[in-house]
């Protein structure tokens, strides 16, 4: 299933098609990504499952309202689950449908180890050094950015 939402790139809004992932976010909500990113994620997740690694997602595409809530929590220093570096609405890569936050237990579980070894093969890389959970889709086989 796909839908058109309001995406943002560096503060500029544009219509963005997103596709629902086969798994839900940890809070039970549907997870959405840009269609090409969703396809890469689903292929990556299937391969990880073959390796007995279950990739859980805590965040994917975020609406302006969702981004605003996270940003305000950051501003109020309610950062118990975030790195307190949340971008303001319109400036988050999550609003481009290309970024996922994964359940990596702060960089200590099998998902994190698998992503560090194999995530790049499917186009996903860590790009924020202090956020072990934050992976952006840079394209299949890309080795750009910070991989930690």
């Amino acid at each position: 299933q796909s839908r058109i939402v309001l995406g943002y790139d560096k503060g500029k809004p544009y219509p963005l098609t997103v596709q629902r992932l086969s798994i839900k976010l940890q809070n039970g909500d549907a997870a959405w990504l840009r269609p090409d990113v969703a396809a890469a994620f689903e292929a990556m997740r299937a391969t990880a499952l073959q390796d007995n690694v279950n990739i859980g997602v805590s965040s994917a595409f975020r609406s302006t309202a969702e981004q605003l809530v996270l940003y305000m929590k950051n501003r109020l220093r309610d950062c118990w689950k975030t790195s307190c570096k949340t971008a303001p609405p319109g400036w988050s890569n999550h609003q481009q449908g290309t970024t996922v936050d994964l359940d990596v237990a702060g960089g200590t579980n099998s998902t994190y180890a698998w992503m560090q070894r194999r995530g790049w093969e499917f186009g996903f890389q860590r790009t924020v050094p202090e956020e072990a959970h934050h992976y952006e889709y840079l394209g299949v086989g890309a080795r750009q950015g910070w991989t930690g």
Side-chain angles (χ1 to χ4, degrees):
Q1 177 183 353
S2 63
R3 64 182 181 167
I4 297 175
V5 296
L6 187 61
Y8 282 88
D9 186 10
K10 297 181 180 107
K12 296 182 181 178
Y14 64 95
L16 173 67
T17 300
V18 291
Q19 181 175 321
R20 187 188 330 220
L21 297 179
S22 64
I23 63 168
K24 294 186 179 219
L25 299 176
Q26 290 172 340
N27 68 5
D29 290 347
W32 301 85
L33 291 171
R34 204 174 66 194
D36 60 320
V37 180
F41 179 85
E42 296 288 6
M44 178 176 73
R45 184 168 181 274
T47 300
L49 283 171
Q50 291 173 357
D51 292 339
N52 295 314
V53 174
N54 187 14
I55 297 176
V57 179
S58 60
S59 184
F61 170 80
R62 292 183 195 146
S63 68
T64 299
E66 291 166 324
Q67 190 64 31
L68 179 60
V69 167
L70 288 175
Y71 179 71
M72 292 309 295
K73 281 184 177 183
N74 176 30
R75 301 291 291 176
L76 297 172
R77 297 290 185 231
D78 181 13
C79 300
W80 64 277
K81 267 195 138 176
T82 69
S83 65
C84 297
K85 301 240 184 243
T86 307
W91 294 88
S92 170
N93 291 339
H94 285 276
Q95 292 183 277
Q96 296 175 25
T98 59
T99 303
V100 291
D101 289 345
L102 304 180
D103 176 14
V104 297
T108 63
N109 67 10
S110 60
T111 297
Y112 180 79
W114 192 93
M115 288 298 297
Q116 291 302 101
R117 266 191 336 273
R118 308 242 2 233
W120 68 272
E121 295 174 32
F122 300 89
F124 290 90
Q125 284 191 349
R126 278 184 62 200
T127 56
V128 181
E130 56 277 346
E131 294 185 355
H133 59 273
H134 182 93
Y135 286 83
E136 293 182 44
Y137 180 76
L138 302 176
V140 175
R143 281 228 181 233
Q144 303 171 11
W146 189 87
T147 58

